[in-house]
């Protein structure tokens, strides 16, 4: 068997094993599934067992997995709930975090270019990790869930915009102009999505939903491909296209197939969470530079420092700008959920290492801190708020959050 085939078999074996471990451990401690996938990826990677090594094929599947993860995060955003004063507060909190992050990144990185990578990474929120936790605890559709969604959505969309503006290698004016073109294309897509669909469109969705035709699923992937292609054609990061595709897809399905929408989403999630997304996280583990992290010195010290900086840079502004109707426990929970970060941290550090701006050790420290954040922050938030409401711990056991 070729190296690609062996690596892919190992990745899929981990994809099967990880939920079993999450379920078993989840009876005592709800651990996000992504943690097991990354840790097992590290285990089979070059720094431990050296069984798996990524190549062009595996890297391509990993990039598709990241795009699918961001697409699904974009799809999760409910426009009717993310608006008004809460949205304004979340935007202001993120802008303040960006300023703090850039200043901190420049100080830690010893220069502007590296500081941008570190600073933007510190402002991100792993909405795809947080939302399943809120769903399992019954908080997603309440007031607290609405606030977390607003702050989390800005914490995912804001860094993607910042990456397009600050990490493209182009001048600010050119980057802004290209971003404006993409925004116009997205606005056009949204306008089209909001228009009533012809009757045949809904009929063919319903007729092929459970057949080999799968028109709706194929149509969704066409939208994703178009938005990814548009972002690449403009020289922007594909994450921007993936996020925009998720937003547009939700609007199209809500208007054209409101009854079939949940079933269509289940099929898309099956492709994403069943195959592509696990590949991304396991490959993240395989490429994780454990040797640099365990080499000691500054790199190892950076890991707890970055974990605290997630709380200070991202969580600090959230604490002060949280809606006034939240009590102290809810405000603390919002800070912890908002400071949870990983997928965008991985994407940003990957770009930084590829551009030879960040060292492998610095990237490993940031990713390691992100892993700890998804393991620790949601759990602490969940326990503190559940204790306040008197909810039983069994309610969230076995959570397969990302």
């Amino acid at each position: 068997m070729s190296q690609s085939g062996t690596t892919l078999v190992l990745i899929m074996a981990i994809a099967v094993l990880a939920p079993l471990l999450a379920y078993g451990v989840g009876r005592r401690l709800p651990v996000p599934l992504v943690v097991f996938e990354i840790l097992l990826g590290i285990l089979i990677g070059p720094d431990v067992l050296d069984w798996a090594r990524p190549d062009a094929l595996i890297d391509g599947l990993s990039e598709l997995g990241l795009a699918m993860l961001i697409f699904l995060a974009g799809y999760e955003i409910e426009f009717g709930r993310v608006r008004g004063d809460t949205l304004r507060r979340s935007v202001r909190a993120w802008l303040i975090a960006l300023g703090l992050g850039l200043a901190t990144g420049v100080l830690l990185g010893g220069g502007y270019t590296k500081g941008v990578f570190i600073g933007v990474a510190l402002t991100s929120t792993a909405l795809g990790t947080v939302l399943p936790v809120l769903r399992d605890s019954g908080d997603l559709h309440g007031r607290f869930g609405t606030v977390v969604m607003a702050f989390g959505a800005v914490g995912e969309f804001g860094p993607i915009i910042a990456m397009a503006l600050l990490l493209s290698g182009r001048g600010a004016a050119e980057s802004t102009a290209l971003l404006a073109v993409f925004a116009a294309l997205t606005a056009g897509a949204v306008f089209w999505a909001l228009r009533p669909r012809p009757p045949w469109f809904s009929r063919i969705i319903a007729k092929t939903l459970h057949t080999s035709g799968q028109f709706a699923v194929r149509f969704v992937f066409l939208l994703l491909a178009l938005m990814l292609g548009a972002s690449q054609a403009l020289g922007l990061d594909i994450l921007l296209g993936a996020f925009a595709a998720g937003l547009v897809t939700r609007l199209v399905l809500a208007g054209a197939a409101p009854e079939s929408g949940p079933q269509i989403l289940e099929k898309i999630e099956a492709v994403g969470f069943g195959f592509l997304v696990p590949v991304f996280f396991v490959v993240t583990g395989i490429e994780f530079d454990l040797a640099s992290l365990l080499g000691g010195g500054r790199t190892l010290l950076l890991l707890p420092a970055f974990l605290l900086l997630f709380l200070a840079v991202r969580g600090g502004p959230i604490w002060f700008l949280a809606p006034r109707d939240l009590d102290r426990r809810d405000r603390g929970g919002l800070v912890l959920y908002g400071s949870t970060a990983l997928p965008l941290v991985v994407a940003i550090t990957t770009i930084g290492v590829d551009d030879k701006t960040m060292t492998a050790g610095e990237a490993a420290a940031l990713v390691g801190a992100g892993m700890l954040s998804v393991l620790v922050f949601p759990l602490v938030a969940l326990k503190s708020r559940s204790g306040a409401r008197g909810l039983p711990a069994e309610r969230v056991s076995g959570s397969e959050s990302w």
Side-chain angles (χ1 to χ4, degrees):
M1 186 180 293
S2 65
Q3 181 64 48
S4 294
T6 301
T7 300
L8 185 57
V9 168
L10 288 170
I11 289 172
M12 296 317 300
I14 288 175
V16 172
L17 178 60
L20 298 177
L21 293 175
Y23 175 77
V25 175
R27 295 178 179 180
R28 296 178 178 272
L29 186 70
V31 178
L33 187 56
V34 58
V35 173
F36 290 104
E37 291 171 340
I38 293 179
L39 289 178
L40 291 173
I42 294 174
L43 179 64
I44 66 172
D47 288 342
V48 185
L49 297 177
D50 197 17
W51 289 351
R53 290 180 177 271
D55 54 17
L57 172 62
I58 301 300
D59 285 338
L61 290 174
S62 178
E63 288 184 13
L64 284 175
L66 177 59
M68 180 59 68
L69 182 69
I70 301 303
F71 168 85
L72 290 169
Y75 188 95
E76 286 279 6
I77 297 177
E78 300 179 26
F79 289 99
R81 299 171 59 195
V82 182
R83 59 184 179 181
D85 180 65
T86 300
L87 179 60
R88 289 191 292 271
R89 287 174 176 271
S90 62
V91 171
R92 289 199 296 269
W94 184 82
L95 290 174
I96 294 172
L98 179 62
L100 292 173
L102 292 176
T104 303
V106 169
L107 290 175
L108 284 177
Y112 173 77
T113 305
K114 185 184 294 186
V116 170
F117 282 95
I118 295 174
V120 173
L122 292 175
T123 68
S124 64
T125 295
L127 188 61
T129 299
V130 169
L131 290 182
V133 177
L134 292 173
R135 185 184 297 115
D136 290 345
S137 65
D139 290 321
L140 181 59
H141 299 292
R143 168 60 177 164
F144 180 73
T146 299
V147 175
V148 173
M149 180 175 290
F151 279 80
V154 175
E156 285 210 328
F157 192 62
I160 292 174
I161 297 295
M163 289 169 65
L165 287 173
L166 302 175
L167 303 180
S168 63
R170 293 183 293 263
E174 183 182 0
S175 296
T176 303
L178 291 174
L179 194 60
V181 172
F182 183 81
L185 291 174
T186 303
V190 169
F191 175 76
W192 171 82
L194 291 174
R195 295 183 61 188
R197 304 265 72 78
W200 65 264
F201 191 86
S202 299
R203 286 199 301 270
I204 196 170
I205 285 179
K207 188 173 182 179
T208 63
L209 188 60
H210 301 292
T211 70
S212 60
Q214 297 291 326
F215 171 77
V217 176
R218 298 182 186 194
F219 183 77
V220 168
F221 280 109
L222 173 61
L223 285 179
L224 176 59
L226 287 172
M227 298 307 292
L228 292 178
S231 60
Q232 277 198 316
L234 293 172
L236 301 172
D237 195 279
I238 63 169
L239 301 186
L240 186 62
F243 198 86
L247 300 178
V248 173
T249 299
R250 184 182 188 92
L251 294 175
V252 171
L253 295 182
E259 296 181 357
S260 303
Q263 298 178 64
I264 297 170
L265 178 59
E266 287 179 2
K267 294 175 180 289
I268 301 301
E269 287 183 332
V271 176
F273 291 140
F275 176 49
L276 293 173
V277 174
V279 172
F280 164 67
F281 283 123
V282 176
V283 171
T284 297
I286 294 173
E287 296 180 339
F288 188 84
D289 196 340
L290 184 64
S292 296
L293 185 63
L294 298 181
R298 179 176 181 271
T299 300
L300 189 58
L301 292 175
L302 281 176
L303 191 151
F306 283 139
L307 183 64
L308 292 175
L309 284 172
F310 282 133
L311 279 175
V313 171
R314 179 73 177 118
I318 291 177
W319 174 269
F320 290 106
L321 288 171
R324 297 176 180 177
D325 60 314
L326 296 187
D327 60 26
R328 193 177 186 85
R329 285 184 180 271
D330 283 347
R331 192 178 292 250
L334 178 62
V335 167
L336 289 165
Y337 283 129
S339 302
T340 302
L342 184 60
L344 286 179
V345 173
V346 174
I348 293 168
T349 54
T350 299
I351 296 172
V353 172
D354 290 343
D355 291 348
K356 302 187 185 308
T357 302
M358 298 184 69
T359 66
E362 291 166 336
L366 256 176
V367 173
M371 290 172 59
L372 287 177
S373 76
V374 302
L375 177 61
V376 175
F377 293 167
L379 179 61
V380 174
L382 191 64
K383 292 296 184 182
S384 63
R385 297 192 67 254
S386 295
R389 296 191 309 268
L391 294 178
E394 295 80 28
R395 188 172 181 175
V396 297
S397 63
S399 171
E400 294 186 6
S401 59
W402 292 90

